[in-house]
Amino acid sequence: MADPDSKKPAPKKKTTDNKKTIPSEPIVKQETPHRKTNQSTLIYNDPKFLKPIPPVEKDLVKVLVRNPREAFVFWNFDPKTIGSLPKELGAPSLDQIHFKLRIQYSKETIAKEDWYDLSAFTSSYYCKWDSPVNEIDASVFAFFGDRSFFCLEAKTGNLPGAFESFQLDEKWIHPNWIEWGWVKQSPSGHFVFSEDYFSTEPLQFSTTSEVFGGSSGFGSHSHIIQ
């Protein structure tokens, strides 16, 4: 027997009343360009300044002055110089040779010198005096028994006078310092410490430990929060 529903007429198709369909253009997502900032130019954000300095393949001594009472001495040996020391001193091996740093300087017009024993693999030394000095000179000597060999010498130079420069390098200024009002731009275009910074200076080392590190406040960028 035939299905009674099969005789039902098919439903009529709905008309669109002759309305034309206008195809829509595909929506293209506009990329928002990244705002360029000067962060890439800031020294403490530059990866190449965060890596250790590669060793220099030559004999070198440098004195880095911090203030009239403090200085750092850095040195480096050429591998050939190190290799020749046992022969120069008549030592069986390099392990039996020890080194000393000699610091010569003028203090209150009196010539003085200090000697420091250097530990193995030492390549720098921090020097501190109780009063200003000048005409500093650094030398490194190698010793074996009663024999000595003059290895390295820095050029003589004067330490700076007892005054502080308040002008800052723009690339070393952390954005927070400007936001907090510690640093401002002078009419000449240079960045300097503001009056707000000096008025709160005694409190900074006890209340802003997350910004400062070490012993010299702005002297290092390794502690800066990125």
Side-chain angles (χ1 to χ4, degrees):
M1 179 180 291
D3 189 349
D5 292 335
S6 62
K7 298 181 179 179
K8 292 182 180 180
K12 295 182 179 180
K13 295 183 180 180
K14 293 182 179 181
T15 61
T16 57
D17 298 330
N18 298 323
K19 291 182 179 180
K20 295 182 179 180
T21 303
I22 301 175
S24 59
E25 294 292 334
I27 299 175
V28 179
K29 186 178 180 181
Q30 297 293 331
E31 295 291 338
T32 303
H34 294 287
R35 183 173 60 90
K36 294 183 178 180
T37 65
N38 63 346
Q39 292 297 315
S40 60
T41 63
L42 296 175
I43 292 177
Y44 55 79
N45 284 335
D46 193 330
K48 71 181 180 182
F49 290 110
L50 303 179
K51 298 179 180 179
I53 299 175
V56 181
E57 298 296 325
K58 66 178 180 179
D59 294 329
L60 179 69
V61 183
K62 292 293 182 180
V63 177
L64 177 62
V65 174
R66 186 176 188 182
N67 56 55
R69 292 181 174 85
E70 296 175 283
F72 299 91
V73 182
F74 301 88
W75 61 88
N76 183 81
F77 281 100
D78 186 307
K80 294 180 181 179
T81 302
I82 287 291
S84 66
L85 290 179
K87 181 179 180 180
E88 295 285 353
L89 294 169
S93 66
L94 187 62
D95 295 338
Q96 300 186 39
I97 297 174
H98 69 279
F99 298 87
K100 289 188 177 184
L101 173 66
R102 182 183 69 182
I103 301 295
Q104 296 174 298
Y105 55 93
S106 177
K107 184 177 182 180
E108 298 176 352
T109 69
I110 300 175
K112 293 180 175 291
E113 71 176 30
D114 299 328
W115 286 84
Y116 303 98
D117 288 310
L118 302 177
S119 303
F121 306 110
T122 303
S123 59
S124 63
Y125 205 90
Y126 166 67
C127 304
K128 186 173 183 178
W129 299 273
D130 56 3
S131 60
V133 303
N134 53 41
E135 298 180 359
I136 187 173
D137 184 39
S139 308
V140 178
F141 289 79
F143 289 86
F144 174 69
D146 57 354
R147 300 179 182 179
S148 64
F149 182 77
F150 178 78
C151 300
L152 308 173
E153 182 180 25
K155 293 183 178 179
T156 302
N158 287 334
L159 294 172
F163 64 89
E164 183 176 356
S165 172
F166 298 109
Q167 184 173 314
L168 304 173
D169 187 329
E170 182 179 358
K171 292 183 179 181
W172 282 96
I173 298 174
H174 194 279
N176 287 349
W177 302 347
I178 299 177
E179 180 182 347
W180 296 335
W182 291 356
V183 174
K184 66 179 183 180
Q185 193 169 14
S186 66
S188 61
H190 298 109
F191 284 88
V192 296
F193 291 118
S194 66
E195 294 79 4
D196 291 342
Y197 170 78
F198 293 110
S199 64
T200 60
E201 188 175 9
L203 303 175
Q204 291 169 8
F205 291 96
S206 61
T207 61
T208 58
S209 59
E210 72 278 3
V211 176
F212 295 115
S215 61
S216 60
F218 291 96
S220 171
H221 68 275
S222 60
H223 56 277
I224 293 175
I225 303 172
Q226 298 296 329

